[in-house]
Every structure is written in structure tokens, then in C-alpha cells.
């Protein structure tokens, strides 16, 4: 890794002066963010991170003085061309010829693995991760509320895979519960087999809306209860209807996931674990964790003082599993977690849902721990906020497919009205990919836990910090390479890349591994989004000031290599976020 070889060289010199092992210093040496206003060094060492007795109340002037003293004891060499002290930092500037040569060679050599081979990840063990995300309800159309879970879970899975971890992507479906009693009765009254086959989710949704109007009718209630009771009793005819609803729904979900560029290794659901949930209730009872209230409800006491100040209700008074969040009972989720550990022997399990379910998962993890499952500490809930104000031209959005169609149509309209748009082989597919990038970048720009106000105008802007701008930059750089051919790095003298705008791009490429590391630690995509937007802005400036056409052959080839490296890293980062880079637009 380019940044790695420079960090090691700086750490090696520092270790002799500070009498510390080089490996202890690696993570304290970071690439300096590019600044538009001034020339910056390439790396800096934070004094506070290496001085043993430094504390938060350590005076800034003391740190500055220590930085100056340390800088004076260090010497420039064939790698480092300048050393200076800043406010509590020692700054290192890399030999400019070496910077260009090393960075471009590394990007060229590592390709899609650039950044992930960094020594920053050398101490991170390769693990098996189970990630549960998306989780729509069967027989209901894919609600827009599931979009965030789908794209966030997909990002986390992509990142883990890129870093060498084994990932199992699970879609845990809402495929059981009383609503299937209603739906079964509704289908007998309002269903149409042809419509079910041609448009299952739409038709089942219409049936569900119609039967819900009659849901308060005593006869309808009785029929629905009877239908669900038959399901629970494994009545063949009733199960066959339910299975048809489930299978056709999954087929349509897979089609929608394909549009999103998302896939799953496993589709499971509550129906798989309904019987095991009763075993969990017995386990809780045997371990003395299940308590009964005066009303006969089953609870687990989660309070520290065992005073029932915090409880989780796991069983109805009639002895059946209680259905709460997403109509999934705690005992079913406990059974699911235990089964996944038995089946996959995972190192970490991540649930991706909205933040309203945070307490629910906290209770789940606490109960597992009380049951003696130490691995509960390796379960994690990644929560996200709500998207507000997402509307199509026809009004409030309910279904994801409506959003995908809307973003594609708006993007197509924008592309056809833009003078710079070239003849595109498949304009519809390009509009879909660019539109999806717009949705993802608007969603990932802030902290996942934040709610945000959706805006079509803001998302689809071609300039500024948007997914459209990332796609435009990628297509523009690809077009440049197509026009002038791919320069072979072995034949190119990249040492001539000395202009400030070229140096800025190279400096930014140096930071990629640190950004990946940061996102891998907190599972927030915003670090990568911010990095890619800056890279695109720097590449846009360099594209204007460093022309390939009309330059001396050596210089043109060197610049072509620089733009190739920028496009390669841009494409890598976009793919991690779940965006397919386009080559024309």
C-alpha cells in the first residue's frame, strides 16, 4: 500500500528517536486532508498520541513545544523531503517524484483491492459475519421504509467482503402471524389467480386493503382466526395457499433487489422458528428466567436490581409467543439467533433496522446473555433514522418500486435535456444507475441515526455533492481514457506530475485506506461518501488545469495515469456503497 510504505518509513525513523516500536506508531501517523486554501504536508504525527503522560488538559503550547523539539531531532531522507512542526503535530512532506511513482504504481497494481491491503487492517482478524437486513413483510408490497435497511445492510456486507471477511446476507421476512388469517380469507373473497401470478405484491396488497375494511366484522374475525389456526395446525390446503403467497412474494422481491444491485444468501422468516419459539419459552422457564405476572403474562426481568423496573414480555397469558416489533416475538428472535450460531458459527451478527427498535434489540441481547450465551456480546444493532417527505409526482410514496421508477424517469428527463449528454447505448439502464446513485448518496451523507428530509431537486443535481456528480465524474474520466488510450505505467515517467492540482489528487489518494479503516470501525458510510465527493471535485479541477490533449507526449501519458488512478479509486468506493459506476451519461 502506497501510504503504508511511507508510514513505515516515517515510523522507522520516529522509533529510533522516541525509543518506541515502529508498529506502535503506525496508526498515529495519518495522511493530511487536502486543503484548497494552502499547501499541506502529506502525513502528520499527533504528539498527544505518542507522549505517554499527555492528557486532555495538557496545554496546547506544551504540545506545540514538544512537536518543535521532536521535529528538530528528525532528519530528511530519500523518502521525506521536509519536516515541520504544527499545533501539536509533526508534519512530513514526501519526496514529490517518489509520491507520484509510489501512489500510481500501487493503484495500478492493487486495482480493486487498493486500500484494503493496508497494514491498518493487518491486526484485524478475518471473521464470519451474519448480516440481517431489508426484512420486508410477505404479501405486502416493498415499503419505502425498507429502503434504508436494504442499502445500509448492503453497504456493510460489501465493506466486510472487500476487507476479506466471510459474509452471510440474510433476509428475515415477516411471513407469519394473524395478518395471514385475514389475507387468506380476503383472497377467498377478492382474490384472482391470474393477477396473483402476474403482479403478486400489488394484488395481495389490494386484497389486504379490501379485507381490512371488513376486519371489524365479527364473522370476518372468526374466519381469519380459523384460517390462521389451520395454518398453525399444518392443514395442507391452508399451508399451500400461504406457501404460494410467500413464494410469489419472494420472486418479486428478488426482481426488485436486482434493480437495487442487492442479493441475499438466505431467505428465512418467522415461519421457520415458530415451533422453536416454544422450546425457548421452556428454556427460559428451566433457567428460572421466565416469570408470570398476575394476569398470566410471561416476562423476563432485565433490571440490575431484579426489581422488575425493566422487563421484556415474551409470552401472552394464553401461553403463546407474544408478537411485538415487526410482529416478531422475542422468543422467535432468540430461537433465530441460537439457530444461526449453530448453523453458521459466526463471529459477529449485525441487525440493520430503524432506531425505533433499539430497545427491542437491547432486550434481545440481554436475554441471550442471561441464558448463558456469551456470544450475545458479539451481536450488534446498526440503527438508522427516518426518511421524511419522499413523494412521487402522484403523491406520497408507499412502495419502493414507485421510487425506483420515479428516479429513473426524472433522471432520464434530466439527461435528455442536457446538452452535454452523449448518445447512450441504453439510456434507461444508465438513468436507473445514476438515479440510484443519487438516492444512495443523499441517504449516506450524514450519520445513519439521523432523520433527514428527502428532496428530489437536491438529490438529482448534476453539480455539488450528489451521486449524479460522482457518476458524471466517473463517466468523464472513463471517456478521457477511451479517447487517449490506456497508458501503460511501466513506460510512463510520472515524476513530471509536479503541479499543485496533480499533487492534491495524489495526496487524496494516499488517504483512502484510512477512510476505509474508519468506516470499518463504526460502519458509517459517510466517511467514504465524503472522500469520494472530494476526490471528484479534485479530479474535476485537475481535468481543467492539466489537459491531456495538446500536452507533450510524456506529460500527457503521466496525466492519463493520474486520471486513471482517480477513476479506479472512485469506482472502488462507489461499488462499496452499492453504486454501479456508469461509463456514459
Amino acid at each position: 500500500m502506497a501510504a503504508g510504505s511511507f508510514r513505515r518509513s516515517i515510523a522507522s525513523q520516529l522509533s529510533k528517536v522516541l525509543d518506541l516500536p515502529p508498529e506502535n506508531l503506525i496508526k498515529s501517523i495519518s495522511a493530511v486532508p487536502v486543503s484548497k486554501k494552502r499547501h499541506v504536508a502529506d502525513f502528520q504525527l499527533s504528539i498527544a498520541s505518542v507522549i505517554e503522560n499527555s492528557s486532555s488538559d495538557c496545554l496546547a503550547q506544551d504540545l506545540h513545544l514538544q512537536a518543535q523539539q521532536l521535529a528538530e531531532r528528525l532528519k530528511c531522507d530519500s523518502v521525506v523531503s521536509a519536516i515541520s512542526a504544527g499545533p501539536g503535530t509533526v508534519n512530513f512532506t514526501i519526496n514529490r517524484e517518489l509520491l507520484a511513482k509510489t501512489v500510481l504504481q500501487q493503484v495500478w497494481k492493487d486495482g480493486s483491492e487498493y486500500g484494503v491491503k493496508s497494514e491498518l487492517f493487518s491486526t484485524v482478524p478475518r471473521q464470519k459475519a451474519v448480516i440481517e437486513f431489508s426484512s420486508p413483510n410477505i404479501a405486502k408490497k416493498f415499503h419505502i421504509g425498507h429502503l434504508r435497511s436494504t442499502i445500509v445492510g448492503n453497504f456493510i456486507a460489501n465493506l466486510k467482503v472487500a476487507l476479506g471477511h466471510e459474509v452471510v446476507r440474510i433476509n428475515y421476512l415477516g411471513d407469519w402471524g394473524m395478518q395471514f388469517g385475514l389475507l387468506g380469507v380476503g383472497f377467498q373473497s377478492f382474490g384472482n389467480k391470474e393477477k396473483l401470478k402476474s403482479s403478486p405484491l400489488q394484488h395481495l396488497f389490494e386484497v389486504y386493503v379490501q379485507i381490512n375494511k371488513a376486519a371489524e366484522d365479527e364473522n370476518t374475525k372468526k374466519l381469519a382466526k380459523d384460517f390462521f389456526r389451520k395454518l398453525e395446525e399444518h392443514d395442507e390446503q391452508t399451508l399451500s395457499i400461504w406457501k404460494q403467497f410467500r413464494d410469489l412474494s419472494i420472486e418479486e422481491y428478488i426482481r426488485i433487489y436486482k434493480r437495487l444491485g442487492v442479493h441475499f444468501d438466505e431467505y428465512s422468516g418467522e415461519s421457520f422458528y415458530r415451533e422453536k419459539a416454544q422450546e425457548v419459552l421452556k428454556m427460559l422457564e428451566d433457567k428460572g428466567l421466565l416469570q408470570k405476572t398476575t394476569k398470566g403474562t410471561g416476562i423476563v426481568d432485565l433490571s440490575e436490581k431484579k426489581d422488575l423496573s425493566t422487563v421484556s414480555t415474551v409470552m401472552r397469558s394464553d401461553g403463546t409467543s407474544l408478537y411485538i416489533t415487526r410482529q416478531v416475538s422475542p422468543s422467535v428472535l432468540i430461537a433465530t439467533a441460537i439457530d444461526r450460531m449453530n448453523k453458521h458459527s459466526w463471529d459477529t451478527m449485525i441487525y440493520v433496522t430503524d432506531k425505533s427498535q433499539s430497545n427491542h434489540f437491547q432486550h434481545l441481547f440481554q436475554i441471550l446473555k442471561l441464558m448463558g450465551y456469551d456470544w450475545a456480546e458479539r451481536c450488534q444493532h446498526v440503527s438508522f433514522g427516518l426518511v421524511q417527505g419522499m413523494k412521487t409526482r402522484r403523491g406520497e410514496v408507499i412502495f419502493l418500486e414507485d421510487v425506483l421508477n420515479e428516479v429513473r424517469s426524472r433522471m432520464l428527463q434530466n439527461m435528455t435535456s442536457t446538452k452535454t449528454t452523449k448518445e447512450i447505448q441504453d439510456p434507461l439502464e444508465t438513468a436507473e444507475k445514476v438515479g440510484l446513485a443519487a438516492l444512495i448518496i443523499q441517504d449516506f451523507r450524514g450519520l445513519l441515526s439521523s432523520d433527514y428530509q428527502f428532496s428530489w431537486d437536491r438529490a438529482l443535481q448534476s453539480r455539488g455533492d450528489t451521486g449524479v456528480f460522482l457518476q458524471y465524474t466517473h463517466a468523464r474520466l472513463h471517456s478521457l481514457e477511451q479517447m487517449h488510450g490506456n497508458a501503460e505505467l511501466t513506460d510512463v515517467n510520472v515524476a513530471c506530475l509536479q503541479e499543485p492540482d496533480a499533487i492534491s489528487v495524489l495526496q487524496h489518494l494516499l488517504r483512502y485506506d484510512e477512510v476505509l479503516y474508519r468506516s470499518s470501525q463504526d460502519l458509517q458510510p459517510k466517511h467514504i461518501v465524503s472522500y469520494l465527493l472530494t476526490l471528484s471535485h479534485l479530479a474535476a479541477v485537475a481535468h481543467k488545469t492539466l489537459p491531456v490533449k495538446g500536452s507533450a507526449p510524456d506529460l500527457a501519458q503521466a496525466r492519463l495515469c493520474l486520471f486513471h488512478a482517480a477513476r479506479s479509486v472512485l469506482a472502488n468506493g462507489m461499488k462499496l456503497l452499492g453504486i454501479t459506476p456508469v461509463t456514459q451519461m
Side-chain angles (χ1 to χ4, degrees), residues 16 19 34 44 51 56 65 68 81 100 149 173 202 214 345 354 361 364 375 382 389 463 476 491 509 540 558 565:
K16 292 167 190 165
D19 199 22
V34 174
Q44 64 181 25
I51 305 295
S56 55
L65 183 64
Q68 283 177 319
S81 60
S149 174
L173 305 164
Q202 180 65 39
S345 299
D354 72 78
F361 282 102
L364 168 67
W375 46 256
V382 174
R463 296 186 183 281
R476 200 177 183 194
D491 309 326
L509 293 175

Side-chain angles (χ1 to χ4, degrees), residues 71 262 340:
V262 172
R340 283 179 190 165

Side-chain angles (χ1 to χ4, degrees), residues 346 364-370 373-380:
W346 47 262
L364 168 67
F365 304 155
Q366 281 179 276
I367 294 171
L368 285 166
K369 209 169 171 188
L370 288 171
Y373 295 113
D374 294 341
W375 46 256
E377 290 183 354
R378 291 183 269 132
C379 292
Q380 186 179 357

Side-chain angles (χ1 to χ4, degrees), residues 50 109 136 146 316 320 425 469 584:
V50 293
K109 179 170 157 247
H146 297 286
R316 284 199 188 103
T320 59
Q425 285 175 344
F469 177 59
Q584 291 177 303

Side-chain angles (χ1 to χ4, degrees), residues 385-431:
L386 301 174
V387 185
Q388 292 149 340
M390 191 177 263
K391 295 181 180 180
T392 65
R393 291 185 176 101
R394 288 188 308 225
E396 199 70 40
V397 163
I398 302 176
F399 303 125
L400 175 63
E401 197 152 24
D402 296 336
V403 175
L404 295 180
N405 292 339
E406 178 89 5
V407 75
R408 182 174 64 189
S409 116
R410 283 180 185 248
M411 202 59 237
L412 197 60
Q413 196 177 353
N414 288 5
M415 282 160 55
T416 48
S417 63
T418 305
K419 289 174 187 172
T420 54
T421 300
K422 297 178 173 65
E423 282 296 316
I424 295 171
Q425 285 175 344
D426 191 341
L428 218 61
E429 191 184 338
T430 300

Side-chain angles (χ1 to χ4, degrees), residues 79 218 351 447 528:
V79 174
E218 287 306 315
Y351 298 86
L447 269 175
I528 295 173

Side-chain angles (χ1 to χ4, degrees), residues 336-347:
T336 307
I338 295 167
D339 182 66
R340 283 179 190 165
M341 175 50 91
N342 293 339
K343 184 177 176 183
H344 296 295
S345 299
W346 47 262
D347 298 297

